[in-house]
Amino acid sequence: MSGSQLLRALRRSLGLGRQQLKVDSRHVVLITGCDSGLGHSMAVYCHESLHMTVVSCCHNIKSEGAKLLQGLASAKDGLSRMHTLELDLLEPDSIRLVHRQLRDILAKDPSYRLTALINNAGVMCFGEFEWQLTEQIEAQINCNLLGTMRLTRELLPLLRQQQGRIINVTSHCGLQALPALGPYAASKAALRFWTDALRVELQQYGMEVVNFIPGSFVLDSNIAARQQQHAQKMREAFSPEQHALYDTYFEAFNGYLKVLSGFKPPNRLRNESLLAKFKDALTSSQPLALYIEEPRRYRLYRWLFSLCPTPLVDWLTVRFCAMPTYESTNRQGKI
């Protein structure tokens, strides 16, 4: 690290010289995972509140969320500030196509500047590690981690040339792994540490890389919409021994999760604290390396996790999840 980089790092740690950069329609932001939930809300916020030009990437261009975003597109002087593209992070051809489409958008106006890439897309599957199929485990790693890496690598030369920033949306699961979310937590923890490495690498090119951890939006998004389909596949793959051991527990476990299943309409979040942190991550001249938005309950447990010995952390983790366990299910069955 050079002397100027060290000085800049010290100024950032002390909060010196931080100011909000003004953004407008000339500033272009690309956001992934915009079909619903946080990504959809970020796209709407950047378009309506920050008046930026938004490239919103949806997994399904025909989804309700994608159609709502397309409805926000209004051309002025032949230029629209909302561009909705289809993106599958598991398909390299889809990533390359989005790159070409982004270049075409930027070419429409010489004043455009690619301000930020926001990696928000992700998939989640609940289930103990033994239950989850190889395809379910690999889908979470492939989308949440490798897909994010693929897209970032594809766009990195363009981001570097325009000194755009990268905001990676990770998870509390990347700070404290939770039972029944092992592969998901692994993908988010890996994303967290890759974000840290990328931040150090790109500082020398005048780029900022941010780790953004929102609160839990599993009930407000479609990240777990296919949970019951995932569960059915797990159940069908059980051996006779696994059926005998797990069936009662498995039914209680997935019965508890039925509220997550099914595709929900896009939900525009009204969390003012989260939006304020997101705006700072996107527009601060010296953004923090890590932003965490969490309810009081999360903050309390995270503080306890940092203080307690491992056996107590394990007990607290089970209490935090508040889900059926093998022990509790068997105990109820014996009463």
Side-chain angles (χ1 to χ4, degrees), residues 246-314:
Y246 290 130
D247 271 358
T248 300
Y249 168 35
F250 188 85
E251 292 301 323
F253 179 92
N254 284 291
Y256 180 85
L257 294 174
K258 280 185 178 179
V259 67
L260 303 180
S261 293
F263 286 87
K264 309 168 187 66
N267 180 45
R268 288 174 57 182
L269 303 171
R270 299 294 192 273
N271 187 326
E272 296 300 325
S273 174
L274 180 142
L275 291 176
K277 290 177 182 178
F278 171 65
K279 180 181 179 182
D280 194 77
L282 182 61
T283 66
S284 173
S285 61
Q286 295 182 14
L288 304 177
L290 172 65
Y291 291 83
I292 301 180
E293 172 62 25
E294 56 190 349
R296 189 173 301 172
R297 175 174 175 267
Y298 276 50
R299 192 178 304 116
L300 172 62
Y301 272 96
R302 192 160 60 86
W303 176 70
L304 291 172
F305 291 155
S306 68
L307 296 177
C308 296
T310 300
L312 188 51
V313 169
D314 293 347

Side-chain angles (χ1 to χ4, degrees), residues 160-216:
R160 174 172 42 74
Q161 291 160 17
Q162 304 198 11
Q163 290 195 321
R165 67 186 54 179
I166 298 169
I167 301 176
N168 289 333
V169 178
T170 61
S171 169
H172 283 85
C173 287
L175 301 176
Q176 174 64 40
L178 302 179
L181 284 172
Y184 177 79
S187 71
K188 290 297 186 177
L191 189 60
R192 168 194 166 197
F193 281 99
W194 172 66
T195 299
D196 288 342
L198 201 61
R199 184 186 68 251
V200 177
E201 289 177 8
L202 297 182
Q203 282 177 355
Q204 59 191 325
Y205 307 115
M207 295 178 63
E208 303 284 358
V209 181
V210 175
N211 181 3
F212 192 86
I213 300 180
S216 175

Side-chain angles (χ1 to χ4, degrees), residues 9 20 33 55 66 90 108 115 144 162 171 190 209 227 229 242 255 289-290 297 310 312 314 321:
Q20 295 295 318
V55 181
L90 274 61
K108 291 179 180 178
T115 301
N144 302 351
Q162 304 198 11
S171 169
V209 181
Q227 178 58 33
Q229 291 95 314
Q242 289 172 320
L290 172 65
R297 175 174 175 267
T310 300
L312 188 51
D314 293 347
C321 293

